[in-house]
Amino acid sequence: MAEEVFQNETIKEILSHYRKIWALGHAQSVLGWDMEVNMPKEGIMERSVAQGELSVLSQSFMLEPKFVELIERAGGEELNEYESGVVRVLNRSLKIARAFPPEFVREMSEVSSRATAAWTEAKAKNDYSLFEPWLDKNIELARKAADYLGYEEYPYDALLDLFEEGLTTRDVDKIFEKLEKELKPLLDKILNEGKVPKEHPLEKEKYDQKAMEKVNLEILKLFGYPLGQRARLDVSAHPFTTEFGIRDVRITTRYEGFDFRRSILSTVHEFGHALYELQQDERFMFSPIAGGVSLGIHESQSRFWENIIGRSMEFAELIYPILKENLPFIREYTPEDIYWYFNLVRPDFIRTEADVVTYNLHILLRYKLERMMINEGVGAKDLPEFWNDEMENLLGIRPKTYQEGILQDIHWSHGTIGYFPTYTIGTLLSTQIASYMEKVINIGEKVRNGEFDEIKGWLREKVHRWGSIYPPKELLKRSFGEGINPDYFIRWVKDRYL
Ligand code: MG
């Protein structure tokens, strides 16, 4: 049997207290999953109150003086790296829990639910005015949150850090400056050279949902996803992954009824998130170091599976028989058709449908707007115009409706501001990770043969098994010897598309 990782008596006491915080988190995840997958529409009001109250309860457990005292005491003791990880993660949670007064936590949670309901209606009706006051409310709360949390340079730093520990406006500026400079001309070149198709007849092919479900399940089976044992696949409007624990991880997908790559690639994407949680060290169970360390690292895992595996020629070959068996129209296409269909490049309005090249420009646009909201005091009223101008600047197209412009994403309705940059960080890291992996594993060959064990094992060793012991920047340094570097992504785009 593997050695116990937690030996220190103070840490053991901390973990026994932490179990009830963990249990609340577990319950909140179940409620959140149910809300997206099963809950009838009008359940939202009661659910959001319940969620808000549980957040407050969790915060009060976190701040119990005995618990705080134990964490402080442990900080002065000699600890192994796992135990130090526990103290680091709890100190961070403590800092956040202490920063926000309980009524503020309750307010954020309730406003978030109601703003989401308003956004849903506003989007359906293409009526920004329904959402505008709620967006202002969320911006105000985010600025307040930044003040409560504290920051050195910009208020936005405090928000970035909530989603990606240690990330600053300065870091993100540096990444995006490089991307904007390199990607815009690269995109022009790709579009003008004409090697990469802009559209494909497969986008219009309609499929039967039952058949498509079978395709997704077969692909997950190839990956070794432990369906029914430790994992599920369900349907929701916005695909996501949630973990109730190491042995109960759930992903969702969606079925639009046409353009089947959306359903496949989002299933493959969420599988990458799920694998990170499923491959945690089981000795961390019930402790604060179980689970992915940050959103950016998490997204690197999902993008690795989506872009590196899912959009490869070898993957198109691998799944071709599955597609042919379940989707009758596939007979008229070759694996190479599937490959290009998965790799189209076309400037378009909707981020979630964006190709790999334009995707980061969509994120850059949101980043610029978030910086305005938080660092420069711009209000909701002026944002649609900024959105459209920036879209034109980056992608050369201008939205005609709010639905294809500022109302498209759910994030700002949840009050999550500072989250978007983690998508780009994940995308960049996925190509970095692929490049390191390629030195020891022939990824294409493995995919062609449907052998995923070595790839999964490598990811476990380099990323998954460390849970949240180290902050993201340190994890990268330890496992790969360098931090986020956009050069890998630029090179990857050139290799693939030029
Ligand atoms: Mg994701």
Side-chain angles (χ1 to χ4, degrees):
M1 213 191 106
E3 201 193 331
E4 272 301 318
V5 290
F6 304 119
Q7 312 267 4
N8 177 287
E9 290 306 319
T10 312
I11 294 292
K12 284 183 183 170
E13 258 191 89
I14 288 174
L15 292 178
S16 99
H17 180 105
Y18 180 77
R19 277 172 89 93
K20 57 184 182 183
I21 298 172
W22 174 86
L24 267 184
H26 182 89
Q28 283 176 299
S29 299
V30 179
L31 291 184
W33 174 82
D34 174 77
M35 185 167 99
E36 305 286 339
V37 174
N38 290 320
M39 192 185 75
K41 217 169 91 186
E42 290 185 14
I44 182 74
M45 199 271 277
E46 289 155 298
R47 179 60 51 87
S48 55
V49 172
Q51 294 272 50
E53 290 299 331
L54 289 182
S55 303
V56 173
L57 190 58
S58 176
Q59 188 196 24
S60 75
F61 286 161
M62 198 66 218
L63 294 173
E64 272 175 27
K66 187 171 167 270
F67 187 53
V68 175
E69 195 255 316
L70 282 169
I71 297 169
E72 275 163 7
R73 195 200 309 161
E77 292 178 5
E78 196 163 321
L79 305 174
N80 66 32
E81 59 187 345
Y82 306 98
E83 296 161 346
S84 304
V86 168
V87 173
R88 182 186 72 77
V89 172
L90 289 178
N91 270 326
R92 189 171 146 76
S93 310
L94 210 54
K95 187 194 148 197
I96 295 166
R98 276 173 168 158
F100 300 150
E103 63 276 11
F104 184 71
V105 173
R106 197 177 283 124
E107 192 187 1
M108 276 199 299
S109 172
E110 288 187 22
V111 167
S112 155
S113 300
R114 297 182 59 197
T116 304
W119 167 79
T120 308
E121 199 191 342
K123 187 178 173 185
K125 295 182 175 161
N126 190 38
D127 183 352
Y128 182 68
S129 72
L130 296 174
F131 180 54
E132 193 189 300
W134 289 102
L135 180 54
D136 268 327
K137 189 81 199 142
N138 272 336
I139 295 172
E140 184 198 317
L141 288 173
R143 285 193 199 130
K144 233 189 221 169
D147 286 337
Y148 281 132
L149 289 163
Y151 49 85
E152 277 177 24
E153 200 167 4
Y154 302 105
Y156 190 60
D157 295 353
L159 303 179
L160 284 173
D161 177 78
L162 277 182
F163 301 108
E164 193 66 21
E165 188 176 351
L167 190 72
T168 63
T169 308
R170 219 171 252 276
D171 294 331
V172 186
D173 275 344
K174 219 168 96 190
I175 291 168
F176 275 124
E177 261 165 39
K178 175 124 199 175
L179 282 182
E180 185 167 7
K181 200 175 118 238
E182 303 252 1
L183 263 189
K184 273 178 62 177
L186 206 49
L187 175 63
D188 283 341
K189 202 159 175 228
I190 292 168
L191 294 174
N192 293 330
E193 277 192 0
K195 175 183 154 200
V196 184
K198 293 185 190 63
E199 42 184 34
H200 200 284
L202 279 170
E203 291 176 86
K204 300 232 161 59
E205 294 282 8
K206 293 196 178 75
Y207 61 77
D208 170 64
Q209 179 166 334
K210 278 273 167 294
M212 198 57 216
E213 274 170 28
K214 247 188 96 195
V215 169
N216 282 334
L217 291 173
E218 289 288 323
I219 290 171
L220 289 173
K221 218 160 85 189
L222 281 176
F223 289 163
Y225 186 63
L227 269 165
Q229 311 295 318
R230 295 169 54 175
R232 288 182 59 91
L233 171 69
D234 292 279
V235 180
S236 68
H238 306 275
F240 69 100
T241 300
T242 186
E243 73 285 355
F244 302 165
I246 301 173
R247 295 190 191 172
D248 187 349
V249 178
R250 305 183 180 198
I251 66 173
T252 68
T253 190
R254 60 177 165 187
Y255 299 99
E256 287 93 347
F258 65 100
D259 200 6
F260 71 91
R261 67 186 169 157
R262 297 193 209 177
S263 185
I264 288 186
L265 290 171
S266 86
T267 304
V268 172
H269 176 101
E270 299 306 330
F271 167 78
H273 282 303
L275 188 68
Y276 192 177
E277 297 297 331
L278 288 164
Q279 296 209 112
Q280 293 291 306
D281 188 328
E282 291 225 340
R283 295 174 299 173
F284 300 174
M285 200 175 270
F286 311 120
S287 88
I289 55 171
V293 65
S294 73
L295 290 168
I297 305 287
H298 235 298
E299 194 69 6
S300 75
Q301 300 306 295
S302 56
R303 291 290 174 196
F304 176 85
W305 286 86
E306 178 191 345
N307 292 344
I308 308 297
I309 307 268
R311 292 187 206 262
S312 67
M313 184 62 205
E314 292 85 355
F315 186 70
E317 286 164 2
L318 176 72
I319 65 167
Y320 188 69
I322 300 175
L323 296 176
K324 216 159 121 184
E325 199 188 312
N326 294 288
L327 308 173
F329 55 81
I330 291 294
R331 276 163 221 293
E332 288 161 45
Y333 301 92
T334 63
E336 206 182 338
D337 290 325
I338 311 284
Y339 169 75
W340 282 117
Y341 165 54
F342 279 15
N343 285 285
L344 303 178
V345 176
R346 173 177 68 218
D348 216 332
F349 297 108
I350 306 297
R351 171 187 61 88
T352 54
E353 290 162 23
D355 57 77
V356 183
V357 184
T358 56
Y359 188 87
N360 291 304
L361 298 172
H362 285 266
I363 300 300
L364 171 57
L365 177 156
R366 287 152 180 80
Y367 171 63
K368 288 184 177 182
L369 263 63
E370 289 191 344
R371 242 182 7 193
M372 287 179 183
M373 297 176 203
I374 304 302
N375 291 348
E376 294 151 33
V378 175
K381 186 172 175 294
D382 298 319
L383 291 174
E385 200 60 20
F386 282 121
W387 180 293
N388 293 350
D389 290 347
E390 200 54 49
M391 192 72 176
E392 210 166 352
N393 165 41
L394 292 172
L395 290 177
I397 51 177
R398 195 173 184 89
K400 286 180 197 69
T401 65
Y402 294 118
Q403 289 156 336
E404 59 185 23
I406 194 164
L407 283 181
Q408 66 180 273
D409 297 308
I410 199 168
H411 302 61
W412 293 339
S413 77
H414 283 164
T416 32
I417 298 172
Y419 186 116
F420 280 119
T422 67
Y423 289 130
T424 286
I425 284 171
T427 307
L428 301 184
L429 281 175
S430 70
T431 54
Q432 257 178 274
I433 288 172
S435 151
Y436 308 135
M437 187 190 288
E438 195 63 56
K439 290 190 180 129
V440 285
I441 299 175
N442 184 333
I443 302 174
E445 192 186 296
K446 294 292 170 195
V447 175
R448 184 180 298 116
N449 298 327
E451 292 166 2
F452 294 102
D453 286 352
E454 260 184 70
I455 292 173
K456 282 155 54 177
W458 191 92
L459 291 172
R460 180 200 284 124
E461 188 52 38
K462 295 291 181 187
V463 182
H464 303 170
R465 64 171 283 212
W466 302 104
S468 304
I469 301 177
Y470 309 115
K473 282 178 177 170
E474 191 182 334
L475 175 70
L476 292 177
K477 214 151 182 209
R478 280 173 175 260
S479 288
F480 306 119
E482 76 178 314
I484 302 161
N485 178 350
D487 293 342
Y488 289 86
F489 176 74
I490 303 284
R491 206 176 313 140
W492 184 81
V493 171
K494 284 182 184 161
D495 284 350
R496 171 146 305 189
Y497 294 105
L498 292 177

